[in-house]
Amino acid sequence: MVGSSHEALHRVFQKDPALLTRAFQKVLRVPFPEPRDFAVLNADVTEIEPVERRVDTLMRVETDDEAYLLVVEAQGKKDERKRGSWPYYLAYLYEKYRCEPVLVVITQNSTTARWAAQPIRRGLPGWEWLTVRPLVIGPDNVPVIASERDAEKDVPLAVLSAMTHGRGAQAAAILEPLAFALRTVDGESAAVFGQLVESCLADSRAKEIWRDLMSEIRYFFNNPVAEKVREEGRVEGREEGRLEDRAEMTLRILEWRAIPVPDAVRERVLGCSDLDQLEVWAHRAVTAERAEDLFAGDGA
């Protein structure tokens, strides 16, 4: 059971190691060789007792040319002690494994992200003997994935999006598209991803929405009829489900933000059969001041 956002933020990469190298390309815009193999390693970097040091997640990545160590640290807030620990981790791990370590810091906080991204320099000014430049994944560079189509293209990346934005105003817009996308993966993976996302949600009402969605997902995987539809990939039922889920999500976002929803608005949203239009309304629901603002600019 993952009980904290700190654990969830780095464990998502243990669930899908390839997500981290995709994050290099899609989020950090850092070129990384195409991996051939992954191995999750012991995260203990203790050298001499009783001083114990432990990284959050450590993975060895094999590429065609060489191997790398991916050192993942989940960071909730500024901690100046890390500016001493991180260089130690990298030096020790290089000495132990004799391959290049790469430090990746993941956070849900923009201020923490900016702090973590600052280079760590040791030595005389202008003559540093060591410079550490952490790569930082956070709400400022992870895209908000708020459509089912985008979420289905890369479910683990959509999970990462929900986790990094889990403490912000965008969280509600991500949850329902992600829940729909989780139906395209196996039940075990959906359960693990669902638990990781829940651990990263700060708002109690967002957690409640997510738990309701996860109950629906569990029903989907446990219901023989739903499973049959999933396996056969019936387009008609899938499209109908998209429309219903998107309409309900739009109304849930308004309710989550404590905005009253008149019957006329509810009927118009639930009666809409245009998925693109519903997606527009869902995005507007995140910032709307009144329920009627969903339809601003749409005409009569």
Side-chain angles (χ1 to χ4, degrees), residues 19-299:
L19 171 62
L20 191 53
T21 54
R22 294 203 302 280
F24 274 86
Q25 300 164 5
K26 297 183 179 181
V27 176
L28 298 169
R29 309 297 181 189
V30 173
F32 194 90
E34 192 65 28
R36 288 190 295 103
D37 192 26
F38 292 91
V40 178
L41 305 179
N42 188 332
D44 194 344
V45 290
T46 303
E47 186 172 4
I48 301 175
E49 295 292 352
V51 179
E52 181 178 345
R53 300 178 187 268
R54 189 177 298 274
V55 299
D56 289 329
T57 286
L58 178 63
M59 293 186 293
R60 180 185 177 95
V61 180
E62 300 282 350
T63 71
D64 288 337
D65 297 324
E66 60 182 304
Y68 295 89
L69 294 177
L70 299 184
V71 184
V72 184
E73 284 280 280
Q75 196 67 29
K77 60 183 179 180
K78 297 180 183 179
D79 184 353
E80 289 301 324
R81 293 175 300 176
K82 293 293 187 179
R83 301 182 70 80
S85 298
W86 289 339
Y88 169 83
Y89 294 165
L90 300 180
Y92 174 79
L93 290 169
Y94 177 79
E95 179 64 23
K96 181 176 180 179
Y97 292 101
R98 287 294 169 175
C99 58
E100 294 296 337
V102 179
L103 175 62
V104 180
V105 179
I106 180 167
T107 181
Q108 295 178 288
N109 184 281
S110 295
T111 301
T112 302
R114 290 190 292 270
W115 164 80
Q118 297 174 8
I120 303 169
R121 296 185 173 91
R122 294 291 176 262
L124 297 173
W127 196 265
E128 291 84 5
W129 56 269
L130 174 68
T131 300
V132 174
R133 298 180 62 191
L135 293 167
V136 181
I137 297 173
D140 294 334
N141 56 6
V142 175
V144 175
I145 299 179
S147 76
E148 291 97 339
R149 291 187 182 93
D150 290 339
E152 287 182 2
K153 289 177 183 176
D154 193 336
V155 173
L157 185 63
V159 170
L160 182 65
S161 176
M163 292 168 64
T164 51
H165 293 282
R167 295 184 180 274
Q170 307 262 30
I174 301 173
L175 297 183
E176 196 130 2
L178 174 58
F180 195 93
L182 286 180
R183 301 180 189 185
T184 65
V185 303
D186 63 276
E188 180 182 353
S189 294
V192 172
F193 285 142
Q195 185 183 2
L196 293 172
V197 170
E198 181 177 338
S199 298
C200 291
L201 296 175
D203 185 89
S204 59
R205 299 183 73 178
K207 279 183 178 287
E208 184 178 348
I209 290 174
W210 184 243
R211 286 168 182 164
D212 288 344
L213 291 169
M214 288 305 297
S215 294
E216 295 173 7
I217 291 173
R218 284 191 290 271
Y219 172 81
F220 178 81
F221 281 104
N222 293 330
N223 183 285
V225 175
E227 181 65 20
K228 188 173 186 293
V229 171
R230 178 176 182 267
E231 290 177 354
E232 294 176 354
R234 287 166 53 185
V235 176
E236 182 179 352
R238 189 175 181 82
E239 189 68 17
E240 184 178 343
R242 284 180 185 273
L243 290 169
E244 183 179 349
D245 283 355
R246 177 57 75 177
E248 290 180 356
M249 184 199 73
T250 302
L251 297 174
R252 285 188 187 185
I253 292 175
L254 293 174
E255 292 167 356
W256 178 67
R257 298 182 58 225
I259 294 177
V261 181
D263 289 341
V265 172
R266 186 178 300 276
E267 289 174 6
R268 183 171 175 180
V269 172
L270 293 176
C272 182
S273 59
D274 185 334
L275 188 61
D276 292 334
Q277 181 64 75
L278 286 169
E279 188 164 324
V280 170
W281 290 345
H283 281 282
R284 289 176 182 169
V286 177
T287 57
E289 295 182 2
R290 302 178 310 126
E292 290 79 4
D293 292 345
L294 295 182
F295 315 128
D298 292 343

